[in-house]
Every structure is written in C-alpha cells, then in structure tokens.
Amino acid sequence: MKNHSTIIIGGGWAGLAAAVELSKHNIPVTVFEAAKQAGGRARTVTHNNTLLDNGQHLMIGAYHQMLSLLKTININYRDVFLQIPQQLEIIDLNRQTTVFKLKLPLLPAPINLLTGILSCPSLNLTSKLKTLYKFNKLLKTPLNKDISVEEWLNTAGLPAEYTNYLLKPLCLAALTTHPHEASARIFQTVLQQTFNGQASNTDLLIPAIDLGHVFPEAAIKYIESKGGQVFLEHRASKLNAINGKIQSIIVNDETIETTNVILATSAKSTEKLLSDIDNCMHIKQQLHNLNYEPVTTIYLQYNPQVRLPLPMMGAINGISEWIFDRSICRQPGLIAVVISANGLHMTLNNEQLSAKVATELAQQFPDWPAAESVMVIREKRATLRCIPDIDHFRPGIQTPVSNLRLCGDYVYIEENNQPGLPSTLEGAMRSGVKCAQQLIQEYL
Ligand SMILES: Cc1cc2nc3c(=O)[nH]c(=O)nc-3n(C[C@H](O)[C@H](O)[C@H](O)COP(=O)(O)OP(=O)(O)OC[C@H]3O[C@@H](n4cnc5c(N)ncnc54)[C@H](O)[C@@H]3O)c2cc1C
C-alpha cells in the first residue's frame, strides 16, 4: 500500500491554490485530479485546434488572493491578463443603442468612482449627485437581514439607469443569480470590496491566454518543483474513515494511506465522496440543499478583421449578456458571448441559441459578416445559486473528521465577520489557501 502524507483530491483552482500554499511552506503534497487536465470549471478546452475556455471568465483587481498566488508561482499577472481600468459600456439589444457608459479614471478610491460618476454621460446632473449620495449610503449601511438584491435596490432610491443598466447586470455577472433571487448581503460585500478598496480593485482583468495557462499549468510546475506530485486521470472513489480519521483513500482502484486529506472537489462530488462517512451527516445535508446556476458561453468565429468597440461589453434586453473580443487572446475575429444563470436560453437547443445570438450581434453590428463557425459550451452547475442567507447552508473548511478538510467555491470562509464570497475563482482560491493555512498550523 502506498503512502502519501498530504493528499488533495481535485485539481481545480481551489485544490491547486491549497497545494501551492502548502508547497510554499515546503510541505510536499499529492494532488489527484480525475480529469485529463487540471483547472476544473476554469479549464482550457480545444476546439478545431483552437484553445478555448470551458467558459469565458472575467477577473477583477479585487481578486487579491489570485494575484498573490500568481506571484508565488512566478507569473507576472500582466503577462496573462489584459488589465484595463473599469470601463463598462452597456448596449440595449432591443434598441441597438448604447444605454450606459462608465469609465473610472486611474485615481485612488473613492475618487475614481466619484470622478467616474460625475463624468458619466448616461446620467444627468441630478442623477449623478443622487447616485453619489445614495450609492455611498447603500454600500455603507449594514444589512441586518438578508433580502434579495432587487428588494434592496428598490429601497435605495438610486436613479433607474444606474440600477437597471449597471447594478443589476453586475449582480447577475458577479453572483450568477438573478437580482430577484440573489443575496443582497453578498452583493453588498462584492461591491464594497470592489469600489471601496484600492483603485486597482475595480480594474478588469480579462484573460489574455487560455485559462489553463493563466494558473493551473504554472501551479503544477511550482508544486512539482517543491517535491509535490500532481496525478491527472486519477479519480478518488472512496475515503476510508476509521475511528474518526481518514486512514486511506481509493484512487483508480488503488488504496493509498494518508495522514491528511483536503477535499477540493465540487460540492456535488464532495457530497458523493462523503456518502460513506457517518459523522459528516450535517455537511452532506447542507450540500444536498445547495442549488446551482448554469453559465453558457457561445463562441462565434468571424472574419479576423471583426472587432468589438471595446474588449468587453454588456448587453440588456436580449439573450446575450456579456460580449468579449478574444482578439486580446490573439484569437482575432473570435467573439465570446456569456449568458449567466437560468433563463429563456435554457429552453433553446444549441442551434437555436447560436442563431439567436448571431442575430442579436448582426443587428447590433450590421457591418460584421456572418459568423463562420459557432460553438456552445453549457456548464449546468457553473456556480452556487447565491440566495439570501446562503452562508447558513455552506459548509466550512473543517469537517467532524479531524484530518479531513474541504475547500472550493461552495465553502464558507469566515473573514472579518463578512458574508462569504459568491462562487468565483477568488472565493475558490481563498478557501484553498485558508484550508492549507489551517493544516500548516497543525504541522508547526
Ligand atoms: C462557464 C463558467 C464561467 C465562470 N465565470 C467566472 C468568472 O467570470 N469569474 C469567476 O471568478 N468565476 C467564474 N466562474 C466560477 C469559477 O470557475 C469557479 O468558481 C471555480 O472554477 C471553482 O473552482 P473549484 O476548484 O472550487 O472547483 P472545480 O473547478 O469544480 O474543481 C474541482 C476539481 O475536482 C475534480 N474532481 C471531482 N471529483 C473528483 C474525484 N472523485 N477525484 C479526483 N478529482 C475530482 C474535478 O475534475 C475538478 O477539476 C465560472 C464558472 C463557469 C463554469
């Protein structure tokens, strides 16, 4: 029987984050990843020799944990992201017109937001002043009870343009949950962390290469350089617990002894792996009650001359929500359209959906030629549905099994008494690092 002292099951961004943190402290780890490549829900997929992501992702400057881990593994974030100060342009697909523009200057917060709002061409002077006062109040007033984002925004007294064209699309993008269902407390935290911190927090970080090369590939090299091992196509099928401790795990039919296990699988896989462990009843119940939201990405290949006016644009009153120009990934003419959460698009098959999105783009950009090819990627369980009070239903890092910890974007991590983060790469990585730090304390 083999023995691997510290085992991480799952090589998504949470598991790799935990592995990098442990490796940084010279604790060698063994990562078992079931898939052919690492990265989990933020992985590279190949289509017709083109490297795509299994879903177009967007990061922001407030992803401090992600940026810090990139530094640890010797990745200069400027080599892997296009960093642009927050510049949002929202188009109305019904009226084929731009309805909202906001550009934040490179100034310290909150002056950047103040200046951005004052120079926003989509708001008149009264609306600008109202926005400044009411938005600041909205961010600062603690929410004693969690309610839906829609309810919260309805009582805020903000101008309708600011609410409908900016905050509601941001809620859907950040929480992958429609505003009438989304948690106001979590959205408030996201807005605070974005707009109240350092100016660079609001920067958009758009991957400039495929996701596998943003973090997972370099993370694996780093882990291996510190004596760790990452095994792909190695699926864990059972955790053997004796006397309240995991003694061994079964991976690809082989039994492997272990001292500590970090379970960095998705919530659904975690629920399955915990099924045989009696004293994890409460966690299994929590996991069972979680709900998920899909994210759909439609990649449309146009003539290489085709460009969006901006690297990324928002859209309302149509099926398409966010449109990205992949020429920033050296993929000229490739446009990615992202649709978050459930909606009408889920009732359409891939052909119908592609046709609908292509028509919306053709109406908005009449100069573009027809798309040459289209690919649809649907991730049914892309993120947790981030409903009010969801943190009560999220397990924490420590389980009742002393040498078994959890990390992942569904895990609740306690930070300054604030609500947890939505299911994002930053949330996943923070949980991975926190989990590793708990273990490091134990090893000291
Ligand atoms: C289409 C899409 C778009 C998104 N957009 C954004 C965005 O713009 N910004 C953002 O911040 N976040 C975004 N997210 C969310 C983000 O991708 C996830 O929050 C994050 O990837 C979750 O990472 P994780 O490591 O917690 O879980 P996962 O990525 O699910 O990783 C779990 C890993 O465990 C492996 N595994 C499972 N079972 C086993 C087993 N039995 N044995 C071994 N290995 C196993 C899986 O193969 C997987 O690699 C998006 C997600 C999707 C799907």
Side-chain angles (χ1 to χ4, degrees):
M1 195 188 296
K2 286 188 188 160
N3 187 315
H4 289 271
S5 159
T6 305
I7 287 179
I8 298 175
I9 303 174
W13 290 48
L16 293 175
V20 166
E21 185 68 12
L22 287 159
S23 302
K24 190 172 107 182
H25 289 81
N26 297 314
I27 299 169
V29 295
T30 303
V31 180
F32 292 118
E33 164 55 49
K36 279 189 180 148
Q37 84 274 47
R41 277 168 279 162
R43 68 179 180 279
T44 303
V45 293
T46 310
H47 177 65
N48 290 345
N49 294 327
T50 305
L51 296 184
L52 300 175
D53 301 323
N54 70 313
Q56 173 68 50
H57 279 59
L58 172 72
M59 292 72 147
I60 54 169
Y63 280 22
H64 294 173
Q65 188 63 76
M66 179 193 74
L67 292 171
S68 152
L69 283 164
L70 287 175
K71 205 168 167 191
T72 303
I73 60 170
N74 304 313
I75 294 276
N76 181 342
Y77 76 94
R78 290 196 176 87
D79 292 339
V80 294
F81 289 115
L82 172 73
Q83 178 184 22
I84 39 175
Q86 188 147 135
Q87 182 179 5
L88 288 180
E89 198 165 316
I90 308 284
I91 49 184
D92 182 336
L93 294 168
N94 245 345
R95 294 190 280 145
Q96 280 95 46
T97 177
T98 300
V99 285
F100 197 81
K101 279 186 185 181
L102 181 70
K103 188 172 178 184
L104 303 190
L106 274 174
L107 292 169
I111 304 169
N112 60 345
L113 183 61
L114 195 118
T115 316
I117 289 174
L118 285 177
S119 57
C120 173
S122 319
L123 299 170
N124 63 30
L125 184 63
T126 319
S127 295
K128 285 177 186 172
L129 296 175
K130 207 169 169 188
T131 300
L132 283 177
Y133 173 66
K134 301 272 185 186
F135 189 52
N136 186 37
K137 194 166 162 219
L138 190 75
L139 294 197
K140 290 212 166 122
T141 311
L143 271 155
N144 298 325
K145 180 175 169 271
D146 204 0
I147 51 176
S148 77
V149 167
E150 185 153 288
E151 244 181 289
W152 184 52
L153 294 178
N154 281 347
T155 57
L158 280 158
E161 305 91 303
Y162 196 74
T163 304
N164 294 332
Y165 301 152
L166 183 72
L167 294 180
K168 287 189 176 174
L170 280 185
C171 165
L172 187 54
L175 274 60
T176 324
T177 308
H178 287 285
H180 68 275
E181 291 180 309
S183 156
R185 289 193 73 209
I186 294 187
F187 189 45
Q188 186 188 40
T189 307
V190 170
L191 292 174
Q192 283 166 346
Q193 293 189 359
T194 309
F195 291 109
N196 278 350
Q198 61 207 54
S200 60
N201 281 2
T202 54
D203 286 355
L204 304 175
L205 300 175
I206 311 181
I209 48 175
D210 60 284
L211 286 171
H213 286 99
V214 171
F215 177 69
E217 296 290 333
I220 291 174
K221 278 200 187 115
Y222 179 82
I223 294 159
E224 288 172 346
S225 75
K226 296 282 187 174
Q229 289 172 295
V230 179
F231 294 96
L232 303 176
E233 295 186 81
H234 277 64
R235 177 176 294 279
S237 53
K238 195 171 186 312
L239 309 180
N240 295 316
I242 304 172
N243 299 332
K245 275 189 107 172
I246 305 292
Q247 306 289 344
S248 61
I249 65 171
I250 298 181
V251 178
N252 287 1
D253 295 330
E254 192 177 352
T255 303
I256 296 168
E257 280 188 342
T258 178
T259 316
N260 278 296
V261 178
I262 292 179
L263 204 41
T265 46
S266 64
K268 268 282 163 226
S269 305
T270 303
E271 189 186 341
K272 222 163 152 190
L273 282 166
L274 293 181
S275 62
D276 293 334
I277 304 180
D278 296 338
N279 50 354
C280 286
M281 223 31 229
H282 179 60
I283 297 180
K284 281 183 270 183
Q285 198 55 52
Q286 283 179 309
L287 294 173
H288 193 70
N289 289 334
L290 293 173
N291 290 305
Y292 304 88
E293 288 290 352
V295 175
T296 307
T297 306
I298 301 102
Y299 289 104
L300 301 102
Q301 181 65 61
Y302 290 89
N303 175 311
Q305 312 302 326
V306 163
R307 288 279 182 288
L308 263 190
L310 291 172
M312 164 196 150
M313 300 180 86
I316 56 162
N317 289 332
I319 281 219
S320 313
E321 287 168 2
W322 296 94
I323 311 166
F324 291 79
D325 186 336
R326 299 271 298 192
S327 64
I328 59 170
C329 299
R330 293 189 206 91
Q331 295 176 325
L334 185 63
I335 299 292
V337 172
V338 178
I339 310 173
S340 297
N342 269 299
L344 179 65
H345 63 287
M346 297 302 282
T347 62
L348 305 178
N349 65 30
N350 286 354
E351 212 175 306
Q352 293 165 326
L353 179 59
S354 319
K356 178 98 183 113
V357 167
T359 304
E360 287 181 348
L361 293 180
Q363 285 169 345
Q364 183 65 38
F365 305 107
D367 296 345
W368 289 8
E372 290 159 9
S373 63
V374 184
M375 185 187 179
V376 178
I377 302 183
R378 299 182 193 249
E379 279 278 342
K380 285 194 184 128
R381 285 197 203 103
T383 68
L384 289 188
R385 183 174 299 153
C386 202
I387 54 169
D389 289 323
I390 187 167
D391 288 344
H392 297 324
F393 307 103
R394 298 167 89 169
I397 288 173
Q398 186 59 58
T399 71
V401 179
S402 62
N403 62 346
L404 177 66
R405 291 178 172 81
L406 308 178
C407 69
D409 65 347
Y410 69 91
V411 169
Y412 171 70
I413 42 169
E414 168 83 59
E415 282 182 321
N416 312 323
N417 245 344
Q418 289 205 320
L421 289 180
S423 293
T424 51
L425 292 169
E426 176 68 5
M429 293 175 106
R430 279 200 213 175
S431 79
V433 169
K434 270 260 154 88
C435 188
Q437 285 168 348
Q438 284 192 10
L439 200 52
I440 291 162
Q441 284 307 314
E442 210 167 271
Y443 282 133
L444 285 178

